[in-house]
Amino acid sequence: MALKITVIGTGYLGATHAAAMAELGFEVLGLDVVPEKIEMLQRGEVPMYEPGLEELLRKHVAGIEGSTGRLRFTMDWAEVGEFGDVHFVCVNTPQKHGEYACDMSYVDAAFESLAPHLHGPALVVGKSTVPVGSADRLAARLAELAPAGEDAELAWNPEFLREGFAVQDTLHPDRIVVGVRSDRAEKLLREVYTTPVAEGSPFVVTDFPTAELVKTSANSFLATKISFINAMAEVCEAAGGDVARLAEAIGHDERIGKKFLRAGIGFGGGCLPKDIRAFMARAGELGADQALTFLREIDSINMRRRGQMVEMAREALGGGSFLGKRVAVLGATFKPDSDDVRDSPALNVAGQIHLQGGQVTVYDPKGMENARRLFPTLGYADTAVEAVRGADVVLHLTEWREFRDLDPAELGEAVAARVLLDGRNALDPEVWRRAGWTYRAMGRPTA
Ligand code: UDX
């Protein structure tokens, strides 16, 4: 009989995982503690913008015409405990207010709520990004609380999905990592992931702490790559070099690779910034803080980029104050193909200029609603052309495809001055310069 799967927490990770499990053929029950989320999901609607996710949900959510009916949602813990053979915990672990450490309260609450309803054999699988050592602690708690006793077991299975590619990354992961304590747990997880493993996804079996560390170390490596190239951009800037050419050239070395070497205003979002901070905090608790002091530097290189972008804009406006200056900002989300504005470098730069008296108008293809909510005092426009109307300088801060397709001549008609600052090194300098624009990017020579 096919395994029955539950997914606890229906944010980015959980909603995508639930839909993907249904796509793989399992009966799935998703749970969230927020009624509005459950109501939306039951209608086949997704609370955020993620390409392909709504289609996948609608394909499987019970009650939607033509669906397989394999995916249902509930708020009832007893129903979840009763239903599932395998329970995936997908709740978020944000940064604690005023601290580097991560806030485990949602994970802890999920375990406290679920465990008392586990009366028979069950595998609880943690997917949330947690400080190393959490799985050991949660396994003990599970043993204490679950009526099933030893039949209720824990495994850790970190998730590596990228926003904007969540569906693809979940259905076709580049690796599956499982931390297990028994053959039974491994066997169950192999069953869950039969399809991707048959397609060639590597399946790495390890212990709890290694599984937890794989996730935080992968994100630390990615953050390091981005800050590395941004540090090179600072040096290029000082030495008159071109960081884009430099990245291209070093990227030809297969050991280095081309990816994640785009210099610009740096990384943001709900993962990389908080994950490297939580990692440092945890290493400190373990007495291994020296091993990760370099991450402090990675973080500060990254945060410095935002201020440097603001200064570049000031310089482009003549070097004085932003008062009375019109600044157009293209992009509000932390990355393209997402509506996520959490710790967004783009919005941070827009906000800083606004707070210094600039008249900022923002346009983003998908992030307007979230940006408005977070930063209601900024100006917003419905299109890129409207955003740049009358602008003294245009800032390109999120690398949406739509911005690469803009017509420099058309935009040139709308602005007060043809000055473009590319904070993502993603536009073609030649195309813009030919259309009469002054194009500047971080770490690249002026024309
Ligand atoms: C990241 C990890 O990639 C993913 O594996 C993990 O599961 C969650 O965290 P995500 O937060 O979706 O995923 O963003 P990612 O695609 O990694 O980009 C992070 C940030 O880095 C974005 O703000 C992006 O614009 C920036 N970035 C990326 C650069 O500045 N330069 C680059 O070369 C690449």
Side-chain angles (χ1 to χ4, degrees):
M1 220 176 63
L3 290 175
K4 289 184 170 170
I5 288 177
T6 82
V7 176
I8 292 151
T10 58
Y12 268 105
L13 172 56
T16 313
H17 192 68
M21 288 294 119
E23 175 73 5
L24 293 179
F26 301 106
E27 295 287 324
V28 185
L29 183 60
L31 175 141
D32 206 288
V33 295
V34 181
E36 293 77 22
K37 271 198 197 169
I38 291 297
E39 283 157 20
M40 277 188 87
L41 290 162
Q42 280 169 338
R43 293 194 301 266
E45 293 165 20
V46 186
M48 63 268 175
Y49 173 73
E50 184 60 45
L53 182 53
E54 194 145 293
E55 290 81 343
L56 197 65
L57 267 181
R58 300 187 63 81
K59 190 173 164 192
H60 298 295
V61 171
I64 289 183
E65 209 188 303
S67 81
T68 64
R70 287 201 287 264
L71 176 54
R72 291 185 301 113
F73 293 96
T74 183
M75 296 188 65
D76 183 348
W77 288 98
E79 190 187 355
V80 163
E82 172 77 20
F83 179 88
D85 302 305
V86 180
H87 304 273
F88 284 99
V89 177
C90 298
V91 297
N92 65 338
T93 49
Q95 186 175 339
K96 263 190 197 164
H97 192 70
E99 273 180 60
Y100 269 14
C102 98
D103 175 359
M104 285 290 287
S105 60
Y106 301 109
V107 177
D108 290 339
F111 274 78
E112 300 290 319
S113 306
L114 173 67
H117 296 288
L118 300 177
H119 293 281
L123 183 67
V124 180
V125 185
K127 266 201 163 301
S128 308
T129 301
V130 296
V132 59
S134 302
D136 272 341
R137 178 174 65 76
L138 292 164
R141 195 71 189 127
L142 191 60
E144 259 169 48
L145 293 174
E150 285 189 355
D151 278 347
E153 208 190 317
L154 184 69
W156 214 263
N157 170 217
E159 178 56 55
F160 307 103
L161 67 78
R162 297 161 297 168
E163 290 184 20
F165 297 90
V167 171
Q168 185 193 323
D169 286 351
T170 307
L171 286 172
H172 311 285
D174 54 11
R175 79 282 207 191
I176 297 158
V177 177
V178 299
V180 292
R181 280 183 173 170
S182 75
D183 291 342
R184 168 181 162 246
E186 180 184 335
K187 205 172 142 278
L188 275 170
L189 284 166
R190 281 192 186 275
E191 200 174 330
V192 169
Y193 293 115
T194 307
T195 307
V197 170
E199 282 175 8
S201 295
F203 191 85
V204 182
V205 182
T206 181
D207 50 38
F208 284 177
T210 309
E212 295 167 313
L213 284 170
V214 168
K215 170 70 193 223
T216 34
S217 60
N219 275 358
S220 300
F221 192 83
L222 294 172
T224 302
K225 253 191 129 172
I226 298 170
S227 278
F228 172 83
I229 203 64
N230 281 333
M232 293 308 112
E234 287 186 17
V235 179
C236 281
E237 196 104 1
D242 182 339
V243 75
R245 282 280 163 281
L246 181 138
E248 184 191 337
I250 64 172
H252 285 302
D253 184 332
E254 275 181 19
R255 294 168 302 175
I256 296 173
K258 288 188 190 317
K259 292 181 182 163
F260 267 63
L261 286 183
R262 204 172 6 80
I265 55 173
F267 58 81
C271 290
L272 297 192
K274 68 116 175 144
D275 284 354
I276 61 171
R277 291 173 195 154
F279 199 19
M280 282 186 268
R282 183 62 185 143
E285 287 168 9
L286 293 169
D289 43 335
Q290 266 195 330
L292 297 188
T293 41
F294 77 97
L295 286 180
R296 208 173 287 278
E297 200 52 43
I298 298 307
D299 200 4
S300 57
I301 292 169
N302 188 56
M303 296 308 284
R304 205 151 68 215
R305 301 306 280 167
R306 305 172 181 193
Q308 281 160 351
M309 188 72 221
V310 174
E311 289 321 305
M312 201 171 170
R314 188 196 311 283
E315 219 176 274
L317 291 168
S321 126
F322 281 109
L323 275 177
K325 301 290 186 188
R326 287 172 173 272
V327 179
V329 169
L330 301 181
T333 54
F334 86 100
K335 69 186 278 190
D337 297 314
S338 165
D339 64 357
D340 197 344
V341 299
R342 283 178 297 172
D343 200 4
S344 166
L347 211 49
N348 182 303
V349 168
Q352 286 193 51
I353 295 176
H354 165 75
L355 292 171
Q356 293 181 38
Q359 288 185 39
V360 180
T361 308
V362 180
Y363 166 72
D364 187 279
K366 294 286 176 196
M368 299 288 275
E369 210 178 302
N370 286 340
R372 258 201 200 98
R373 203 171 306 138
L374 198 69
F375 234 121
T377 50
L378 291 175
Y380 291 93
D382 290 334
T383 63
V385 176
E386 280 315 307
V388 307
R389 199 166 295 289
D392 299 305
V393 64
V394 177
L395 275 51
H396 173 247
L397 300 183
T398 313
E399 63 278 33
W400 286 91
R401 151 123 252 140
E402 181 179 327
F403 299 148
R404 288 200 291 286
D405 293 341
L406 286 172
D407 176 3
E410 188 191 349
L411 252 62
E413 296 296 312
V415 294
R418 296 187 177 199
V419 183
L420 175 71
L421 307 184
D422 186 358
R424 290 295 183 181
N425 264 313
L427 303 175
D428 185 345
E430 285 322 305
V431 171
W432 289 82
R433 284 176 183 150
R434 265 204 307 275
W437 286 76
T438 300
Y439 171 97
R440 278 279 283 131
M442 307 175 94
R444 304 188 77 177
T446 45

